[in-house]
Amino acid sequence: LPGEVIPSYRFIVASRVSGRLLEINRRIGDRVAAGEVLARVDDEEHRQAVLEADADLGTARASLAETTEQLEQAARELARLQTLEDRQLISRAEVERARSARDALVSRQKLARAQIEQREAALSSARIRLGYATLTAPRPGIVAERFGGQTLDTMGIENFVSVIETEGPKFANALEQHVRQYDVDVMNAQ
């Protein structure tokens, strides 16, 4: 019986980060399970970014701990000076200097907490980008094609109809943009 086989769904899986392709684990025609690793892009730069973001977070946490300790000391000193002032053993100016020092440390502590939140967000972003270097199957299925195919590995393309000169990655990107104009599901998954 003649006929046409039409897939029930179609996903285009592409890396969200650029880099050298280190491995391709599946080929056209292979069956894949949801979450199965299809390919890996060089992730060394992204691993380094995670390490740096983690170190920055550690520094921010240490800064908060130091500031908190200084604030506790300043609060104890302020309380001590207030007691001395109540006994009229020191001037009001000394108490106000101690209060100003404590208040400055309160502000510094708030800043340190905000920096921790910022560093946590940076670490989270770095981890997400690292995850993009691993391409996984979004659903079970069969690998039907490699989008862009061999053109992704080609540095110079000439004499292609209506294209004077281009590079493989640019051509593959233009091809993907063209495909997006049709009624197909295009999914960039990690």
Side-chain angles (χ1 to χ4, degrees), residues 1-162:
L1 295 169
E4 185 177 343
V5 176
I6 299 173
S8 56
Y9 56 86
R10 179 180 173 173
F11 292 96
I12 296 177
V13 180
S15 175
R16 293 183 184 184
V17 295
S18 62
R20 188 170 56 98
L21 189 60
L22 295 179
E23 63 184 69
I24 298 175
N25 298 325
R26 293 290 172 251
R27 301 283 179 205
I28 294 173
D30 289 351
R31 289 191 174 278
V32 295
E36 186 173 344
V37 175
L38 303 175
R40 293 186 194 279
V41 175
D42 183 5
D43 63 0
E44 188 60 35
E45 184 177 322
H46 302 292
R47 286 184 187 282
Q48 185 61 37
V50 168
L51 291 174
E52 288 175 14
D54 192 42
D56 288 345
L57 178 57
T59 300
R61 286 181 174 151
S63 176
L64 175 61
E66 177 184 27
T67 301
T68 299
E69 177 62 30
Q70 290 172 350
L71 177 57
E72 289 168 0
Q73 289 174 359
R76 285 191 300 270
E77 178 65 8
L78 177 60
R80 186 183 74 80
L81 292 176
Q82 285 173 328
T83 301
L84 292 175
E85 181 195 23
D86 291 344
R87 295 182 188 166
Q88 298 180 345
L89 297 173
I90 61 169
S91 70
R92 180 87 179 135
E94 289 181 69
V95 172
E96 289 307 314
R97 278 193 296 274
R99 187 182 322 280
S100 292
R102 186 219 41 206
D103 291 348
L105 286 167
V106 167
S107 295
R108 198 167 132 203
Q109 186 183 49
K110 288 178 184 176
L111 175 62
R113 285 188 176 125
Q115 288 174 333
I116 286 175
E117 288 180 23
Q118 182 184 38
R119 299 307 191 280
E120 286 172 340
L123 178 58
S124 178
S125 292
R127 286 180 175 151
I128 288 169
R129 285 190 302 278
L130 175 61
Y132 289 158
T134 301
L135 285 82
T136 58
R139 295 182 66 174
I142 298 174
V143 177
E145 63 183 298
R146 179 176 163 216
F147 201 91
Q150 201 172 7
T151 60
L152 293 173
D153 304 322
T154 307
M155 291 314 297
I157 299 173
E158 297 179 24
N159 299 324
F160 189 72
V161 176
S162 79

Side-chain angles (χ1 to χ4, degrees), residues 7-13 139 147 179-180 182-188:
S8 56
Y9 56 86
R10 179 180 173 173
F11 292 96
I12 296 177
V13 180
R139 295 182 66 174
F147 201 91
V179 167
R180 288 179 181 272
Y182 295 93
D183 187 27
V184 295
D185 291 327
V186 176
M187 180 175 158
N188 290 329

